[in-house]
Amino acid sequence: MKTAIRNTTAAMAAMLFGMAMAAPASADDKPTLAFVVNGASDFWKAAEAGVKKAQGELPDFNLELKYPSQASVAIQQRLMDDLVTAGVKGIMVSAVDPKTQTDGLNKIASETALFTTDSDAPKSKRVAYVGSSNVDAGKQAAEIAKKAMPDGGKCMGYVGLLGADNAKERIQGFKDGLEGTKISLVDVRGDDIDQTRAKANVQDTLVANPEINCMVGFYSYNTPRIYEALRDAGKLGQITVVGFDDDPITLGGVKEGTIAATVVQQPFEWAYQGMKLMAAYVKGDKSAVPADGLLIIPTKIIGKDDVDAYAAHLKAMAGN
């Protein structure tokens, strides 16, 4: 009798499970869109705020921002694979290394709507790129260097991912902007988004390359690590520092004059505009996708006289 009861219960459970799997999704179910970054950094806090604002205007979607546990192609790919398995309808990603990720990105693009941001993957089957022109941003960094060093100088660059398109394009833009001047970019040191290593790279330069009188931080956290290394060595103000992005340490250095200026991007707008574009695309409206697949959000230079107004702007965007 007990065996018969168990068999009957199991059969009923199986039937109910099958009915649940076959049943249509409830009206409360919402499609999910994900914004996947390339590694842990305070830089992405502005993007979180952009996702939050977009969520308020897209009540029919669930919007998420995801951090890979490490800045690794394999780990980022696994995160996106898991999102696809969970049923996300669209992914916007800052690819760790677009050139080596093409096959993996194409796999994602075959299963869900794929957009890129920050570091484009133009050879992939992504729908569109939403972000900065990194070449133009590099040229703006060169303008800062030229203004700060009219008599010339030797620069060392620092970046997280040497292989990423955003890094290569910023570096190329910087070099292009220096053509015809007495300023040169001697080398660029990578750190794989390891901030301890980022600071150590600067410290190593101070010892091994005393001729360097200019340092360029190509990723958001590189400039703060430059600042800290120079501060610890008692060399703040002795070496020209060209910054990228708006870390509080960077903005503080610009305001006090120890950082010449910084080129700021708009990750808030990447996320806000990007998620809205992706939502429209998923719903079948492709009219807002640019013909060339590029939605460029301009970068700008923030100097000493601009810091207070820019900081107030950031505070307002964050809703504080």
Side-chain angles (χ1 to χ4, degrees), residues 256-269:
E256 72 183 18
T258 53
I259 295 173
T262 187
V263 179
V264 297
Q265 303 180 91
Q266 300 190 66
F268 176 94
E269 293 295 337

PDB file of all heavy atoms in Angstrom, residues 256-269:
ATOM      1  N   GLU A 256      43.331  70.887  -6.994  1.00  0.00           N
ATOM      2  CA  GLU A 256      44.490  71.425  -6.276  1.00  0.00           C
ATOM      3  C   GLU A 256      45.661  71.724  -7.202  1.00  0.00           C
ATOM      4  O   GLU A 256      46.672  72.291  -6.768  1.00  0.00           O
ATOM      5  CB  GLU A 256      44.926  70.468  -5.163  1.00  0.00           C
ATOM      6  CG  GLU A 256      45.589  69.203  -5.647  1.00  0.00           C
ATOM      7  CD  GLU A 256      45.943  68.240  -4.515  1.00  0.00           C
ATOM      8  OE1 GLU A 256      45.382  68.381  -3.412  1.00  0.00           O
ATOM      9  OE2 GLU A 256      46.769  67.335  -4.753  1.00  0.00           O
ATOM     10  N   GLY A 257      45.556  71.336  -8.468  1.00  0.00           N
ATOM     11  CA  GLY A 257      46.588  71.666  -9.444  1.00  0.00           C
ATOM     12  C   GLY A 257      47.698  70.643  -9.607  1.00  0.00           C
ATOM     13  O   GLY A 257      48.647  70.861 -10.364  1.00  0.00           O
ATOM     14  N   THR A 258      47.598  69.490  -8.936  1.00  0.00           N
ATOM     15  CA  THR A 258      48.629  68.462  -9.068  1.00  0.00           C
ATOM     16  C   THR A 258      48.348  67.507 -10.232  1.00  0.00           C
ATOM     17  O   THR A 258      49.207  66.725 -10.620  1.00  0.00           O
ATOM     18  CB  THR A 258      48.759  67.650  -7.770  1.00  0.00           C
ATOM     19  OG1 THR A 258      47.455  67.147  -7.405  1.00  0.00           O
ATOM     20  CG2 THR A 258      49.298  68.524  -6.640  1.00  0.00           C
ATOM     21  N   ILE A 259      47.143  67.575 -10.765  1.00  0.00           N
ATOM     22  CA  ILE A 259      46.784  66.866 -11.999  1.00  0.00           C
ATOM     23  C   ILE A 259      46.376  67.936 -13.002  1.00  0.00           C
ATOM     24  O   ILE A 259      45.543  68.805 -12.700  1.00  0.00           O
ATOM     25  CB  ILE A 259      45.636  65.868 -11.762  1.00  0.00           C
ATOM     26  CG1 ILE A 259      46.095  64.761 -10.806  1.00  0.00           C
ATOM     27  CG2 ILE A 259      45.159  65.262 -13.084  1.00  0.00           C
ATOM     28  CD1 ILE A 259      44.987  63.805 -10.378  1.00  0.00           C
ATOM     29  N   ALA A 260      46.981  67.913 -14.198  1.00  0.00           N
ATOM     30  CA  ALA A 260      46.791  69.002 -15.157  1.00  0.00           C
ATOM     31  C   ALA A 260      45.324  69.166 -15.536  1.00  0.00           C
ATOM     32  O   ALA A 260      44.787  70.281 -15.552  1.00  0.00           O
ATOM     33  CB  ALA A 260      47.641  68.747 -16.403  1.00  0.00           C
ATOM     34  N   ALA A 261      44.653  68.070 -15.851  1.00  0.00           N
ATOM     35  CA  ALA A 261      43.234  68.039 -16.209  1.00  0.00           C
ATOM     36  C   ALA A 261      42.875  66.587 -16.463  1.00  0.00           C
ATOM     37  O   ALA A 261      43.752  65.711 -16.474  1.00  0.00           O
ATOM     38  CB  ALA A 261      42.936  68.906 -17.433  1.00  0.00           C
ATOM     39  N   THR A 262      41.596  66.322 -16.667  1.00  0.00           N
ATOM     40  CA  THR A 262      41.173  64.945 -16.916  1.00  0.00           C
ATOM     41  C   THR A 262      40.130  64.900 -18.033  1.00  0.00           C
ATOM     42  O   THR A 262      39.326  65.826 -18.173  1.00  0.00           O
ATOM     43  CB  THR A 262      40.633  64.289 -15.623  1.00  0.00           C
ATOM     44  OG1 THR A 262      40.382  62.905 -15.857  1.00  0.00           O
ATOM     45  CG2 THR A 262      39.348  64.950 -15.161  1.00  0.00           C
ATOM     46  N   VAL A 263      40.169  63.830 -18.806  1.00  0.00           N
ATOM     47  CA  VAL A 263      39.182  63.604 -19.864  1.00  0.00           C
ATOM     48  C   VAL A 263      38.076  62.733 -19.280  1.00  0.00           C
ATOM     49  O   VAL A 263      38.341  61.606 -18.853  1.00  0.00           O
ATOM     50  CB  VAL A 263      39.805  62.900 -21.082  1.00  0.00           C
ATOM     51  CG1 VAL A 263      38.744  62.667 -22.164  1.00  0.00           C
ATOM     52  CG2 VAL A 263      40.970  63.707 -21.639  1.00  0.00           C
ATOM     53  N   VAL A 264      36.864  63.259 -19.236  1.00  0.00           N
ATOM     54  CA  VAL A 264      35.783  62.504 -18.614  1.00  0.00           C
ATOM     55  C   VAL A 264      34.842  61.917 -19.661  1.00  0.00           C
ATOM     56  O   VAL A 264      34.521  62.543 -20.665  1.00  0.00           O
ATOM     57  CB  VAL A 264      34.984  63.355 -17.602  1.00  0.00           C
ATOM     58  CG1 VAL A 264      35.876  63.794 -16.450  1.00  0.00           C
ATOM     59  CG2 VAL A 264      34.337  64.560 -18.257  1.00  0.00           C
ATOM     60  N   GLN A 265      34.435  60.692 -19.392  1.00  0.00           N
ATOM     61  CA  GLN A 265      33.442  60.005 -20.200  1.00  0.00           C
ATOM     62  C   GLN A 265      32.090  60.128 -19.498  1.00  0.00           C
ATOM     63  O   GLN A 265      31.980  60.759 -18.453  1.00  0.00           O
ATOM     64  CB  GLN A 265      33.836  58.546 -20.373  1.00  0.00           C
ATOM     65  CG  GLN A 265      35.227  58.371 -20.989  1.00  0.00           C
ATOM     66  CD  GLN A 265      35.576  56.924 -21.144  1.00  0.00           C
ATOM     67  OE1 GLN A 265      35.315  56.331 -22.171  1.00  0.00           O
ATOM     68  NE2 GLN A 265      36.167  56.344 -20.122  1.00  0.00           N
ATOM     69  N   GLN A 266      31.086  59.504 -20.066  1.00  0.00           N
ATOM     70  CA  GLN A 266      29.763  59.598 -19.472  1.00  0.00           C
ATOM     71  C   GLN A 266      29.127  58.212 -19.339  1.00  0.00           C
ATOM     72  O   GLN A 266      28.149  57.899 -20.026  1.00  0.00           O
ATOM     73  CB  GLN A 266      28.874  60.505 -20.324  1.00  0.00           C
ATOM     74  CG  GLN A 266      29.401  61.928 -20.456  1.00  0.00           C
ATOM     75  CD  GLN A 266      28.398  62.853 -21.091  1.00  0.00           C
ATOM     76  OE1 GLN A 266      27.335  63.136 -20.525  1.00  0.00           O
ATOM     77  NE2 GLN A 266      28.707  63.343 -22.278  1.00  0.00           N
ATOM     78  N   PRO A 267      29.658  57.364 -18.437  1.00  0.00           N
ATOM     79  CA  PRO A 267      29.087  56.023 -18.282  1.00  0.00           C
ATOM     80  C   PRO A 267      27.632  56.035 -17.826  1.00  0.00           C
ATOM     81  O   PRO A 267      26.895  55.092 -18.105  1.00  0.00           O
ATOM     82  CB  PRO A 267      29.998  55.356 -17.238  1.00  0.00           C
ATOM     83  CG  PRO A 267      30.687  56.493 -16.543  1.00  0.00           C
ATOM     84  CD  PRO A 267      30.841  57.560 -17.573  1.00  0.00           C
ATOM     85  N   PHE A 268      27.228  57.103 -17.124  1.00  0.00           N
ATOM     86  CA  PHE A 268      25.815  57.238 -16.768  1.00  0.00           C
ATOM     87  C   PHE A 268      24.961  57.236 -18.034  1.00  0.00           C
ATOM     88  O   PHE A 268      23.958  56.524 -18.130  1.00  0.00           O
ATOM     89  CB  PHE A 268      25.597  58.537 -15.986  1.00  0.00           C
ATOM     90  CG  PHE A 268      24.153  58.817 -15.649  1.00  0.00           C
ATOM     91  CD1 PHE A 268      23.619  58.429 -14.430  1.00  0.00           C
ATOM     92  CD2 PHE A 268      23.316  59.475 -16.551  1.00  0.00           C
ATOM     93  CE1 PHE A 268      22.284  58.683 -14.113  1.00  0.00           C
ATOM     94  CE2 PHE A 268      21.982  59.732 -16.245  1.00  0.00           C
ATOM     95  CZ  PHE A 268      21.471  59.337 -15.028  1.00  0.00           C
ATOM     96  N   GLU A 269      25.379  58.021 -19.029  1.00  0.00           N
ATOM     97  CA  GLU A 269      24.628  58.112 -20.277  1.00  0.00           C
ATOM     98  C   GLU A 269      24.738  56.831 -21.093  1.00  0.00           C
ATOM     99  O   GLU A 269      23.787  56.445 -21.785  1.00  0.00           O
ATOM    100  CB  GLU A 269      25.099  59.312 -21.101  1.00  0.00           C
ATOM    101  CG  GLU A 269      24.780  60.656 -20.482  1.00  0.00           C
ATOM    102  CD  GLU A 269      23.286  60.932 -20.399  1.00  0.00           C
ATOM    103  OE1 GLU A 269      22.511  60.334 -21.161  1.00  0.00           O
ATOM    104  OE2 GLU A 269      22.886  61.767 -19.551  1.00  0.00           O
TER     105      GLU A 269
END
